[in-house]
Amino acid sequence: MVRLVLEAARTAGVSPDELNRLPGVGVLGRQGIRVPTMLLTRVWEVSSAVFAEAGGAPRVAQLWTPGRFHVWDYVIKSSADLGEAFDLAARHLPAITDPDSAFIVRRNAAGRLTVATRPVPTFGRVGALIGEFVLGLLLQQAGAALGRPVTPVAITVAGEPPRSHAHLVETFGTRDIQFDAPVSSITFAPADATAPLPGADPALAAIVRDHAVHSISNARPILGWLDKVHAEIADSFADGPPSLDRVARRMTMSSRTFQRRLHDEGTSWREEVEKVREAEATRLLRDTGLTIDAVAARVGFSDVRALRRAFHRWYGRTPADFRRQPSAK
């Protein structure tokens, strides 16, 4: 998936030097590696303005063609219907990207099928663009699997709306697009969710699923420098608000060298702490029963009021409202 977005960035005119400076880009030519989600996020951050001018994130998704994602595409194509296809695709997502990029599949009582992404640790329009890209990709997968055009019944986007979203209405074929949602999601009608897929093949399905499991279990994680910084920040939460000096020592650097390296990576200490806090607080609210006070303490906030202010900054709602949203589960 990172290779696809990098190809789009280069085609759209993003500076090759800027892309080559991103941590982890140099290993993308190797087979059998697991690329960190943060690299994908960084590509979007440096390319977002160019992508917006080129027609938005769905244009990036249109670079996908059936078979480009190898075994993952065939897991979807060989399934019985879209419900099974996306259930299995979610389970085997690490075959094409980092496990942190997982999405959630659910059905309601009326038979509608919704595929929702987990929140992305980035801000503003960048997060929205990533969500729009994933939804565009899922829509293309659905159409390829069914062998016909598919129109979703609803779209939600986690992030700020663009000045105009006419291109999204055209891409998704619906005006029911909600921005500033807890997560990005696409909802399919019951008739599309349960329609038999023309490529359904139980024998092939068993083979490609075994191959997907093998690919995932043998992939080697490649950690960039910022991934190590994030791990140190997350570990430091146990001692309260994270300290730049303490994390710098754990990275075997002076504070000045550490700050200079962050600047060279195009970021800052404050930005990276914010990203780790957002990702960890969101995970704890979504996946655990911890109280909101306990979540605040776990991510190094001095009190729960600081967590509430941060959540309002990230999502425009309180932690309690976020936890109550079904799509956040």
Side-chain angles (χ1 to χ4, degrees), residues 150-209:
V150 180
T151 300
V153 295
I155 296 287
T156 68
V157 178
E160 299 173 1
R163 292 178 182 175
S164 168
H165 63 277
H167 63 291
L168 297 179
V169 172
E170 180 181 355
T171 297
F172 295 116
T174 178
R175 294 187 175 277
D176 190 353
I177 302 176
Q178 174 193 344
F179 292 92
D180 291 322
V183 293
S184 295
S185 70
I186 183 169
T187 299
F188 298 96
D192 292 325
T194 59
L197 300 186
D201 185 332
L204 176 61
I207 293 170
V208 296
R209 290 167 199 166

Side-chain angles (χ1 to χ4, degrees), residues 28-113:
L28 286 177
R30 303 180 195 171
Q31 296 299 315
I33 62 169
R34 181 174 296 156
V35 179
T37 298
M38 187 52 65
L39 174 55
L40 183 59
T41 303
R42 291 297 191 209
V43 177
W44 278 99
E45 287 174 346
V46 302
S47 309
S48 58
V50 174
F51 285 158
E53 292 176 4
R59 291 288 297 275
V60 180
Q62 288 168 9
L63 288 176
W64 172 85
T65 53
R68 172 147 192 174
F69 289 161
H70 307 295
V71 66
W72 195 70
D73 287 345
Y74 291 103
V75 165
I76 294 173
K77 183 178 180 180
S78 61
S79 297
D81 56 32
L82 282 188
E84 179 183 89
F86 286 131
D87 275 334
L88 292 168
R91 190 180 310 167
H92 298 300
L93 190 62
I96 61 166
T97 191
D98 189 77
D100 286 344
S101 301
F103 53 79
I104 303 123
V105 182
R106 62 184 189 278
R107 301 162 185 79
N108 68 9
R112 289 185 170 189
L113 174 72

Side-chain angles (χ1 to χ4, degrees), residues 30-304:
R30 303 180 195 171
Q31 296 299 315
I33 62 169
R34 181 174 296 156
V35 179
T37 298
M38 187 52 65
L39 174 55
L40 183 59
T41 303
R42 291 297 191 209
V43 177
W44 278 99
E45 287 174 346
V46 302
S47 309
S48 58
V50 174
F51 285 158
E53 292 176 4
R59 291 288 297 275
V60 180
Q62 288 168 9
L63 288 176
W64 172 85
T65 53
R68 172 147 192 174
F69 289 161
H70 307 295
V71 66
W72 195 70
D73 287 345
Y74 291 103
V75 165
I76 294 173
K77 183 178 180 180
S78 61
S79 297
D81 56 32
L82 282 188
E84 179 183 89
F86 286 131
D87 275 334
L88 292 168
R91 190 180 310 167
H92 298 300
L93 190 62
I96 61 166
T97 191
D98 189 77
D100 286 344
S101 301
F103 53 79
I104 303 123
V105 182
R106 62 184 189 278
R107 301 162 185 79
N108 68 9
R112 289 185 170 189
L113 174 72
T114 297
V115 186
T117 68
R118 289 188 173 178
V120 178
T122 191
F123 310 103
R125 278 298 297 157
V126 175
L129 283 169
I130 296 174
E132 292 163 15
F133 162 72
V134 174
L135 301 185
L137 188 61
L138 292 173
L139 181 59
Q140 288 196 91
Q141 288 277 5
L146 284 166
R148 59 175 172 79
V150 180
T151 300
V153 295
I155 296 287
T156 68
V157 178
E160 299 173 1
R163 292 178 182 175
S164 168
H165 63 277
H167 63 291
L168 297 179
V169 172
E170 180 181 355
T171 297
F172 295 116
T174 178
R175 294 187 175 277
D176 190 353
I177 302 176
Q178 174 193 344
F179 292 92
D180 291 322
V183 293
S184 295
S185 70
I186 183 169
T187 299
F188 298 96
D192 292 325
T194 59
L197 300 186
D201 185 332
L204 176 61
I207 293 170
V208 296
R209 290 167 199 166
D210 285 346
H211 183 58
V213 170
H214 178 78
S215 299
I216 294 165
S217 63
N218 286 283
R220 306 186 311 277
I222 302 294
L223 295 179
W225 184 78
L226 280 175
D227 298 290
K228 296 173 184 177
V229 172
H230 294 162
E232 295 293 352
I233 292 172
D235 286 346
S236 74
F237 285 151
D239 301 320
S243 160
L244 184 150
D245 292 340
R246 185 166 63 244
V247 171
R249 285 196 301 272
R250 292 172 69 164
M251 296 291 292
T252 65
M253 294 181 174
S254 69
S255 299
R256 180 173 295 181
T257 301
F258 182 59
Q259 287 181 295
R260 185 166 58 246
R261 178 66 187 272
L262 287 170
H263 181 267
D264 290 343
E265 296 283 349
T267 186
S268 68
W269 168 251
R270 183 175 179 178
E271 286 181 65
E272 297 313 307
V273 170
E274 183 92 344
K275 288 175 183 176
V276 177
R277 270 184 166 149
E278 180 184 356
E280 185 65 5
T282 300
R283 183 188 69 80
L284 291 171
L285 285 170
R286 185 188 60 233
D287 298 339
T288 76
L290 290 174
T291 65
I292 293 173
D293 292 70
V295 170
R298 285 281 191 99
V299 296
F301 281 116
S302 56
D303 57 46
V304 73

